[in-house]
Amino acid sequence: MVYLAQDPTLADFGKDPWWLVLIKVAFAFVFAVLATLLGVWFERRVVGRMAVRPGPNQVGPFGLLQTLADGLKMAFKEDILPKAADKVVYFFAPVISVVCAVTALSVVPFGPLVSIFGHRTPLQVTDVSVAVLVLLACSSLSVYGIVLGGWASGSTYPLLGGLRSSAQMISYEVAMGLSIVAVFMTAGTMSTSGIVAKQAHGTQLSIGGVDLPAPGWYAILLLPSFIIFFIATVGETNRAPFDLPEAESELVAGFMTEYSSLKFALFMLSEYVAMVTMSAVTTTLFLGGWRAPWPITLWEGANSGWWPMLWFFGKVIALVFVFVWLRGTLPRLRYDQFMRFGWKVLLPINLVWILVLSGLRSIEDWDTQGKVIAVGIPAGVLLILTLVWPSRKPQPKPTVQEQVDSRPHGSFPLPPMDLQVPPSPRTMRVVAEREPANIAAGSDSREV
C-alpha cells in the first residue's frame, strides 16, 4: 500500500472498479450504523456523567453493548399496526428518513487519495460539481419521512406532530441553505472535495502593508455562517433543545406515537444517523474536512495516507459531543419561540452577513486606501446611527383609578379594588326588618 498526500479532484472520480465502489458504499453504510450504535451509548454516558450518575455500564465492557441489546429488544417487541393506518406509507416512512440520512454520506470526503490494492482512489464514494446541493436535497427529503409517518398513522396526535415537524424543518432548512452561500462565495466551488482543498492553506491578510497569516478553516473566516449553520443543523436533526417533533409532554411523542418495534427503531436510528451525518458535513464545510488541525500539521505526514481519517473522525466525535452537551444542559423551547428565532433572528442575520461578505469580496482588488475608505465609512455611519438612535422608552403604566375612569359608560361592574366584599343590601334590609324573639327560659332569659 502506497501513501499519497494529494487532494482529489473531480477528474479522480468515476474510474474505480465495481468491487472498489461496493467497498466504499459498504464502508459508508457500516460507518453510519456503527456511529449510531456508539452514538447512543456515547450520549447516555455523557449525559449520565453530567447528571452525576454512571449511565449504561452493565452489558459489555463499559456498557458498550447496551445499545445493541436495546436494538434486539425492540426487534422482538410486538409490532402493532393501527387499524386506520395506510399500510404502505406507514411502512416506508421510517425507511425514507434512514435512507436520506445515509445517502448524504456518499459525497462526504473521509480522506485524500490513497492506494487500495494497487488502485489509486479517493477516500470518498463520489463527488460532483454540485455535491453540496446533494447534501441539501437529502436533508430536505428527510422531511417526507416525518410528514408521511404522521399522516399514515391515521391518528390525530401523529398528524399534528408531523405538520409541526415539517414546518420546523423547512424553516431551518432556509437558514441552513443561506449559511452555505458564504462557503460557495469563498471557496468558489460546490464540490465537497474542492471545499476541503480550499481550506488546506491559510489566507493572507494585508493590514497596513503587512501580510499577516490567517487561518484557513471557514469556521473562523466565516464565523457567523458557521454559528448559524450549526444552530440550523441542531434544529434540522430534531435534537434538544429543538426536539419539538417529539415533545413528549405536548404531543405524546409526535409523529412517532403509533410506531412500535422495528419501525420505531428506524425512526430513532434516522435521528442519530442524521446527527452523525450533519457533524460530518459541518466538518467538511467549516472545519477543514479530513485535514489535521494545528499543531499536528507540523508533522509532514499528518495529511498523508490513512492518517487523515483519524483527524476526520476526531472532529466528528467532537461535534457529536456538542450535540449531546446541548441536550444535557438546555431546556426545550416553546414552538413559537423556536419559529420566531428561525425567521426573525437567524434569517435576517444571515442575509446581512451575506451582503457584507459580498461587499468585502468585491473590493479585494482595491488598494489599501480604497479598502479603508470602503470599510471605514459604512462602519462609522453604522456606529453613529447606533449611538444616536432614539431608544424606545416604556410608556408609564396607568394607575388602577385611571384605568377605572377610562372605562366606557355601560361597562360591566368592577369588583372592589381593596378586595373587601361589601354586604348585600338585601341581607341588611332583611336583618333590620326582623322582629326580636322573646324566649322564656327562666330568670336568665334575654332578648335575642
Side-chain angles (χ1 to χ4, degrees):
M1 184 176 296
V2 181
Y3 294 147
L4 303 171
Q6 183 178 351
D7 289 295
T9 61
L10 292 177
D12 296 315
F13 294 91
K15 301 178 180 179
D16 297 331
W18 63 270
W19 57 266
L20 188 54
V21 174
L22 290 180
I23 290 176
K24 290 184 178 182
V25 172
F27 172 78
F29 179 76
V30 171
F31 167 73
V33 174
L34 289 181
T36 301
L37 293 176
L38 296 177
V40 176
W41 170 85
F42 181 74
E43 178 179 15
R44 296 174 67 180
R45 291 285 290 188
V46 172
V47 173
R49 183 75 173 179
M50 291 179 177
V52 196
R53 51 185 175 81
N57 60 355
Q58 297 298 316
V59 184
F62 306 104
L64 284 171
L65 299 180
Q66 182 64 55
T67 305
L68 181 61
D70 292 341
L72 293 175
K73 179 181 69 175
M74 282 192 289
F76 286 102
K77 280 190 173 182
E78 182 182 2
D79 189 9
I80 301 175
L81 178 65
K83 185 177 180 180
D86 187 318
K87 296 180 177 58
V88 177
V89 180
Y90 180 84
F91 173 78
F92 280 105
V95 177
I96 293 174
S97 298
V98 176
V99 170
C100 290
V102 176
T103 304
L105 288 174
S106 61
V107 292
V108 173
F110 292 90
L113 282 169
V114 296
S115 178
I116 302 179
F117 300 115
H119 290 273
R120 186 166 172 264
T121 180
L123 286 176
Q124 183 176 353
V125 176
T126 187
D127 193 11
V128 291
S129 58
V130 289
V132 180
L133 297 185
V134 175
L135 295 175
L136 290 177
C138 293
S139 177
S140 301
L141 288 175
S142 63
V143 180
Y144 285 93
I146 292 178
V147 174
L148 294 177
W151 172 80
S153 298
S155 180
T156 303
Y157 279 123
L159 178 61
L160 294 176
L163 293 176
R164 190 170 73 166
S165 303
S166 62
Q168 167 187 330
M169 298 179 71
I170 293 172
S171 300
Y172 278 76
E173 190 77 27
V174 176
M176 180 186 295
L178 287 177
S179 60
I180 302 179
V181 172
V183 178
F184 297 165
M185 295 169 55
T186 307
T189 179
M190 293 186 184
S191 167
T192 50
S193 59
I195 292 174
V196 173
K198 291 294 183 179
Q199 301 179 72
H201 307 288
T203 58
Q204 296 291 328
L205 297 179
S206 179
I207 301 177
V210 179
D211 292 335
L212 299 176
W217 286 9
Y218 292 154
I220 302 176
L221 294 177
L222 308 174
L223 183 61
S225 295
F226 172 65
I227 295 175
I228 294 174
F229 181 84
F230 192 77
I231 294 176
T233 297
V234 178
E236 186 75 10
T237 53
N238 305 325
R239 294 285 301 178
F242 305 145
D243 57 338
L244 298 172
E246 295 182 23
E248 295 90 349
S249 61
E250 303 174 22
L251 289 179
V252 200
F255 63 94
M256 296 188 296
T257 302
E258 303 292 347
Y259 279 88
S260 59
S261 189
L262 278 178
K263 299 183 183 65
F264 176 83
L266 285 177
F267 268 128
M268 183 178 177
L269 176 69
S270 66
E271 176 184 333
Y272 283 90
V273 173
M275 180 177 66
V276 175
T277 301
M278 295 312 297
S279 297
V281 172
T282 306
T283 298
T284 301
L285 298 181
F286 293 96
L287 299 179
W290 45 263
R291 293 192 168 272
W294 188 87
I296 302 178
T297 51
L298 299 178
W299 171 39
E300 294 183 357
N303 293 321
S304 301
W306 298 87
W307 286 106
M309 292 185 66
L310 180 61
W311 321 135
F312 179 82
F313 292 149
K315 295 175 185 178
V316 171
I317 293 174
L319 289 177
V320 171
F321 172 77
V322 176
F323 275 96
V324 176
W325 190 3
L326 294 176
R327 186 182 188 92
T329 54
L330 296 180
R332 179 183 292 139
L333 297 180
R334 288 203 321 261
Y335 186 73
D336 61 317
Q337 294 174 333
F338 181 51
M339 298 298 287
R340 187 185 305 114
F341 180 69
W343 286 105
K344 295 187 177 181
V345 178
L346 294 185
L347 192 60
I349 292 177
N350 226 333
L351 293 174
V352 172
W353 166 242
I354 293 174
L355 181 62
V356 171
L357 185 63
S358 302
L360 293 177
R361 289 188 58 84
S362 65
I363 63 174
E364 283 183 349
D365 298 332
W366 294 12
D367 56 3
T368 304
Q369 183 178 0
K371 291 181 180 178
V372 172
I373 295 175
V375 175
I377 292 179
V381 172
L382 181 61
L383 179 60
I384 294 174
L385 290 177
T386 304
L387 295 176
V388 302
W389 193 267
S391 60
R392 179 183 298 179
K393 296 181 180 179
Q395 296 293 335
K397 187 177 181 180
T399 63
V400 176
Q401 189 60 41
E402 291 175 347
Q403 297 180 31
V404 173
D405 297 338
S406 63
R407 298 174 74 247
H409 179 70
S411 301
F412 287 100
L414 288 175
M417 296 297 102
D418 55 0
L419 300 182
Q420 297 293 329
V421 181
S424 172
R426 181 180 178 184
T427 303
M428 296 176 60
R429 184 171 63 254
V430 170
V431 173
E433 294 176 352
R434 189 172 60 185
E435 296 181 357
N438 295 325
I439 301 176
S443 58
D444 56 347
S445 63
R446 57 187 178 88
E447 186 178 279
V448 178

